[in-house]
Amino acid sequence: MSRSYEGQHVIISFESRKCIHARKCAQNAPHIFNVNADGDWIQPDKGEVQQAIDVANLCPSGAITYQLKNNTPTPEVKVNTAHIWENGPLALRGNLNIENHGASQNATLCRCGLSRKKPFCDGAHIKGEFQATGEVDAAESESTEQTGGQLNVKPLKDGPLYVTGNLEICAGSGRLVKRGSKMALCRCGQSNNKPFCDGTHKSIGFTAEG
Ligand code: FES
């Protein structure tokens, strides 16, 4: 469920089902995002507009978004990236178009196979004790200088996330792992070549909506 909070210059929206409690809001602009408030916990006019924009850009799950009231469009992301979180989800930032979920700039997508909110992470990796390094070895990259543009994410039925568009896969530390324009990313949690799909989802009988 998404709820919007309107200020004088900016509307901030919060989609609770995407939130993974990364706490970028409370850490970077606690005066706007007061998680202990009795009433509305988001108060756009309690800080600068730029602070609200910065928090929305930092919010890895995409739960917090903003719209300027003067209708200035949200700038495109220059480099589409997917960061591999150790023992956790893939954190995507880019000009995302996630099939059946629309456009966004940030999203944390399940890669342990346990989320009940697939394709989004719901934190189930913690209880499920999912273990996977964020520091995988570098793989061969496509020779392209393109980094932006639309990134389409298609969760395949009972299979991986099929991603088309310019994308940099990055280790948790930010190191480049692979640059490409077409990739299948594991979301069953069992690939021996994470974060890439190696077909293991078939042998383990992984099921997920497309
Ligand atoms: S989705 Fe995990 S191996 Fe294919």
Side-chain angles (χ1 to χ4, degrees):
M1 188 177 76
S2 179
R3 193 172 157 201
S4 294
Y5 301 81
E6 186 166 349
Q8 214 182 334
H9 303 292
V10 65
I11 300 169
I12 301 174
S13 297
F14 175 65
E15 196 171 348
S16 56
R17 81 192 170 105
K18 287 186 178 174
C19 180
I20 59 161
H21 307 287
R23 302 185 67 246
K24 299 296 181 190
C25 52
Q27 290 168 344
N28 289 281
H31 39 297
I32 301 176
F33 301 89
N34 181 356
V35 294
N36 298 317
D38 285 335
D40 287 346
W41 75 283
I42 299 178
Q43 300 209 18
D45 291 337
K46 290 263 169 118
E48 301 293 322
V49 170
Q50 190 57 48
Q51 291 174 313
I53 294 172
D54 290 345
V55 165
N57 289 337
L58 283 171
C59 175
S61 66
I64 290 172
T65 53
Y66 74 94
Q67 175 69 54
L68 294 176
K69 288 175 76 174
N70 63 9
N71 286 327
T72 305
T74 304
E76 280 200 4
V77 176
K78 300 263 189 307
V79 184
N80 297 321
T81 55
H83 281 78
I84 309 163
W85 283 13
E86 182 180 11
N87 304 338
L90 291 167
L92 272 66
R93 174 156 174 78
N95 309 299
L96 312 178
N97 178 31
I98 302 174
E99 190 163 282
N100 297 326
H101 297 280
S104 61
Q105 291 198 326
N106 292 344
T108 39
L109 300 182
C110 173
R111 72 177 183 118
C112 70
L114 302 173
S115 172
R116 284 183 292 179
K117 294 181 187 168
K118 295 186 190 72
F120 301 104
C121 168
D122 71 350
H125 55 273
I126 299 170
K127 212 170 175 184
E129 299 183 2
F130 176 61
Q131 291 195 343
T133 182
E135 295 299 321
V136 303
D137 290 339
E140 197 177 335
S141 286
E142 283 177 29
S143 55
T144 172
E145 294 305 311
Q146 304 295 320
T147 57
Q150 184 165 301
L151 186 71
N152 297 304
V153 181
K154 184 178 168 68
L156 299 183
K157 180 165 168 46
D158 306 334
L161 299 165
Y162 186 61
V163 183
T164 52
N166 302 309
L167 178 63
E168 286 190 0
I169 303 282
C170 304
S173 59
R175 174 177 50 81
L176 178 67
V177 171
K178 181 182 173 79
R179 186 180 286 143
S181 59
K182 214 179 270 180
M183 298 185 215
L185 302 174
C186 175
R187 65 174 181 137
C188 73
Q190 300 299 317
S191 171
N192 294 305
N193 187 30
K194 297 183 193 71
F196 307 105
C197 168
D198 69 353
T200 301
H201 59 270
K202 287 184 200 139
S203 57
I204 63 167
F206 176 63
T207 57
E209 295 294 312

